[in-house]
Short mmCIF file of all heavy atoms in Angstrom, two decimals:
data_model
loop_
_atom_site.label_atom_id
_atom_site.label_comp_id
_atom_site.label_asym_id
_atom_site.label_seq_id
_atom_site.Cartn_x
_atom_site.Cartn_y
_atom_site.Cartn_z
N TYR A 118 -27.58 3.81 28.95
CA TYR A 118 -28.35 4.20 27.60
C TYR A 118 -28.14 5.58 27.34
O TYR A 118 -27.84 5.98 26.04
CB TYR A 118 -29.66 3.74 27.78
CG TYR A 118 -30.64 4.12 26.50
CD1 TYR A 118 -30.23 3.63 25.15
CD2 TYR A 118 -31.82 4.75 26.44
CE1 TYR A 118 -30.98 3.87 24.09
CE2 TYR A 118 -32.55 4.92 25.39
CZ TYR A 118 -32.22 4.44 24.13
OH TYR A 118 -32.83 4.77 23.06
N ALA A 119 -28.33 6.50 28.13
CA ALA A 119 -28.25 7.92 28.07
C ALA A 119 -26.77 8.30 27.75
O ALA A 119 -26.54 9.12 26.85
CB ALA A 119 -28.61 8.67 29.29
N ASP A 120 -25.79 7.59 28.45
CA ASP A 120 -24.40 7.86 28.11
C ASP A 120 -24.08 7.53 26.60
O ASP A 120 -23.37 8.24 25.83
CB ASP A 120 -23.49 7.07 29.08
CG ASP A 120 -22.01 6.96 28.69
OD1 ASP A 120 -21.53 8.05 28.63
OD2 ASP A 120 -21.53 5.89 28.26
N ARG A 121 -24.52 6.38 26.15
CA ARG A 121 -24.27 5.99 24.76
C ARG A 121 -24.88 6.97 23.84
O ARG A 121 -24.32 7.27 22.71
CB ARG A 121 -24.92 4.51 24.61
CG ARG A 121 -24.81 4.07 23.16
CD ARG A 121 -23.46 3.99 22.64
NE ARG A 121 -23.34 3.74 21.20
CZ ARG A 121 -22.45 3.80 20.44
NH1 ARG A 121 -21.25 4.33 20.85
NH2 ARG A 121 -22.52 3.45 19.07
N SER A 122 -26.17 7.49 24.29
CA SER A 122 -26.75 8.49 23.35
C SER A 122 -26.02 9.76 23.21
O SER A 122 -25.96 10.34 22.13
CB SER A 122 -28.15 8.78 23.91
OG SER A 122 -28.92 7.57 23.89
N VAL A 123 -25.36 10.29 24.28
CA VAL A 123 -24.44 11.43 24.16
C VAL A 123 -23.28 11.19 23.34
O VAL A 123 -22.95 12.02 22.52
CB VAL A 123 -24.00 11.88 25.62
CG1 VAL A 123 -22.92 13.06 25.44
CG2 VAL A 123 -25.32 12.18 26.49
N LEU A 124 -22.75 9.94 23.42
CA LEU A 124 -21.63 9.65 22.61
C LEU A 124 -21.90 9.54 21.12
O LEU A 124 -21.25 10.04 20.19
CB LEU A 124 -21.00 8.31 23.05
CG LEU A 124 -20.31 8.32 24.47
CD1 LEU A 124 -19.70 6.97 24.76
CD2 LEU A 124 -19.18 9.37 24.64
N VAL A 125 -23.18 9.07 20.82
CA VAL A 125 -23.69 8.92 19.56
C VAL A 125 -23.88 10.38 18.95
O VAL A 125 -23.61 10.72 17.78
CB VAL A 125 -25.02 8.21 19.38
CG1 VAL A 125 -25.71 8.40 18.07
CG2 VAL A 125 -24.76 6.72 19.57
N ALA A 126 -24.50 11.26 19.73
CA ALA A 126 -24.72 12.62 19.38
C ALA A 126 -23.33 13.32 19.05
O ALA A 126 -23.25 14.09 18.05
CB ALA A 126 -25.40 13.43 20.54
N ILE A 127 -22.34 13.11 19.83
CA ILE A 127 -20.96 13.76 19.54
C ILE A 127 -20.43 13.11 18.28
O ILE A 127 -19.87 13.81 17.43
CB ILE A 127 -20.05 13.43 20.70
CG1 ILE A 127 -20.40 14.14 22.01
CG2 ILE A 127 -18.60 13.72 20.35
CD1 ILE A 127 -19.70 13.79 23.20
N GLU A 128 -20.63 11.79 17.98
CA GLU A 128 -20.19 11.20 16.85
C GLU A 128 -20.88 11.70 15.56
O GLU A 128 -20.19 11.78 14.51
CB GLU A 128 -20.44 9.69 16.95
CG GLU A 128 -19.89 8.80 15.82
CD GLU A 128 -20.20 7.47 15.91
OE1 GLU A 128 -20.50 6.91 16.96
OE2 GLU A 128 -20.14 6.68 14.81
N THR A 129 -22.16 12.09 15.72
CA THR A 129 -22.86 12.56 14.58
C THR A 129 -22.72 14.10 14.42
O THR A 129 -23.44 14.78 13.63
CB THR A 129 -24.35 12.18 14.63
OG1 THR A 129 -24.90 12.58 15.85
CG2 THR A 129 -24.50 10.66 14.43
N ASP A 130 -22.04 14.72 15.32
CA ASP A 130 -21.97 16.18 15.28
C ASP A 130 -20.78 16.46 14.23
O ASP A 130 -19.67 15.84 14.34
CB ASP A 130 -21.45 16.69 16.66
CG ASP A 130 -21.03 18.21 16.64
OD1 ASP A 130 -21.38 18.90 15.54
OD2 ASP A 130 -20.47 18.64 17.64
N PHE A 131 -20.94 17.48 13.23
CA PHE A 131 -20.10 17.59 12.21
C PHE A 131 -18.68 18.05 12.76
O PHE A 131 -17.64 17.70 12.22
CB PHE A 131 -20.58 18.65 11.26
CG PHE A 131 -19.75 18.99 10.10
CD1 PHE A 131 -19.68 18.21 9.13
CD2 PHE A 131 -18.88 20.11 10.11
CE1 PHE A 131 -18.95 18.46 7.92
CE2 PHE A 131 -18.08 20.49 8.98
CZ PHE A 131 -18.06 19.59 7.91
N PHE A 132 -18.67 18.78 13.82
CA PHE A 132 -17.27 19.19 14.38
C PHE A 132 -16.91 18.26 15.59
O PHE A 132 -15.83 18.66 16.12
CB PHE A 132 -17.59 20.66 14.92
CG PHE A 132 -17.90 21.59 13.85
CD1 PHE A 132 -19.21 22.08 13.84
CD2 PHE A 132 -16.92 22.09 12.99
CE1 PHE A 132 -19.52 22.98 12.86
CE2 PHE A 132 -17.35 22.96 12.00
CZ PHE A 132 -18.64 23.52 11.98
N HIS A 133 -17.75 17.35 15.95
CA HIS A 133 -17.35 16.42 17.06
C HIS A 133 -16.98 17.07 18.33
O HIS A 133 -16.05 16.74 18.84
CB HIS A 133 -16.19 15.38 16.55
CG HIS A 133 -16.41 14.49 15.38
ND1 HIS A 133 -17.38 13.43 15.62
CD2 HIS A 133 -16.08 14.51 14.08
CE1 HIS A 133 -17.35 12.87 14.33
NE2 HIS A 133 -16.70 13.59 13.51
N ARG A 134 -17.81 18.01 18.70
CA ARG A 134 -17.48 18.79 19.85
C ARG A 134 -17.79 17.89 21.21
O ARG A 134 -18.85 17.24 21.19
CB ARG A 134 -18.51 20.04 19.90
CG ARG A 134 -17.98 21.10 18.93
CD ARG A 134 -19.04 22.17 18.68
NE ARG A 134 -20.15 21.69 17.83
CZ ARG A 134 -21.18 22.39 17.34
NH1 ARG A 134 -21.14 23.62 17.59
NH2 ARG A 134 -22.10 21.82 16.56
N GLN A 135 -17.06 18.12 22.08
CA GLN A 135 -17.10 17.36 23.28
C GLN A 135 -18.21 18.06 24.25
O GLN A 135 -17.85 18.86 25.09
CB GLN A 135 -15.75 17.37 24.09
CG GLN A 135 -14.53 16.94 23.26
CD GLN A 135 -14.81 15.37 22.93
OE1 GLN A 135 -14.66 14.49 23.70
NE2 GLN A 135 -14.86 15.27 21.46
N THR A 136 -19.33 17.54 24.11
CA THR A 136 -20.62 18.11 24.69
C THR A 136 -20.29 18.18 26.22
O THR A 136 -20.47 17.16 26.96
CB THR A 136 -21.81 17.32 24.38
OG1 THR A 136 -21.90 17.25 22.90
CG2 THR A 136 -23.17 17.99 24.83
N LEU A 137 -20.34 19.43 26.90
CA LEU A 137 -20.19 19.56 28.31
C LEU A 137 -19.12 18.76 28.79
O LEU A 137 -19.22 18.31 29.98
CB LEU A 137 -21.51 19.32 28.99
CG LEU A 137 -22.73 20.21 28.58
CD1 LEU A 137 -23.93 19.74 29.30
CD2 LEU A 137 -22.49 21.71 28.62
N SER A 138 -18.04 18.46 28.06
CA SER A 138 -16.80 17.75 28.52
C SER A 138 -17.25 16.27 28.98
O SER A 138 -16.62 15.66 29.69
CB SER A 138 -16.11 18.48 29.64
OG SER A 138 -15.76 19.79 29.29
N TRP A 139 -18.41 15.80 28.41
CA TRP A 139 -18.80 14.47 28.81
C TRP A 139 -17.89 13.36 28.66
O TRP A 139 -17.83 12.51 29.64
CB TRP A 139 -20.19 14.16 28.11
CG TRP A 139 -20.80 12.87 28.56
CD1 TRP A 139 -20.79 11.66 27.94
CD2 TRP A 139 -21.39 12.67 29.83
NE1 TRP A 139 -21.39 10.70 28.62
CE2 TRP A 139 -21.80 11.15 29.82
CE3 TRP A 139 -21.58 13.41 30.94
CZ2 TRP A 139 -22.28 10.67 30.88
CZ3 TRP A 139 -22.19 12.78 32.07
CH2 TRP A 139 -22.65 11.43 32.05
#
Side-chain angles (χ1 to χ4, degrees):
Y118 181 48
D120 168 64
R121 174 59 184 164
S122 298
V123 175
L124 297 180
V125 167
I127 294 174
E128 182 181 345
T129 55
D130 176 11
F131 183 78
F132 299 103
H133 297 288
R134 287 165 286 190
Q135 305 297 295
T136 306
L137 299 183
S138 301
W139 181 252

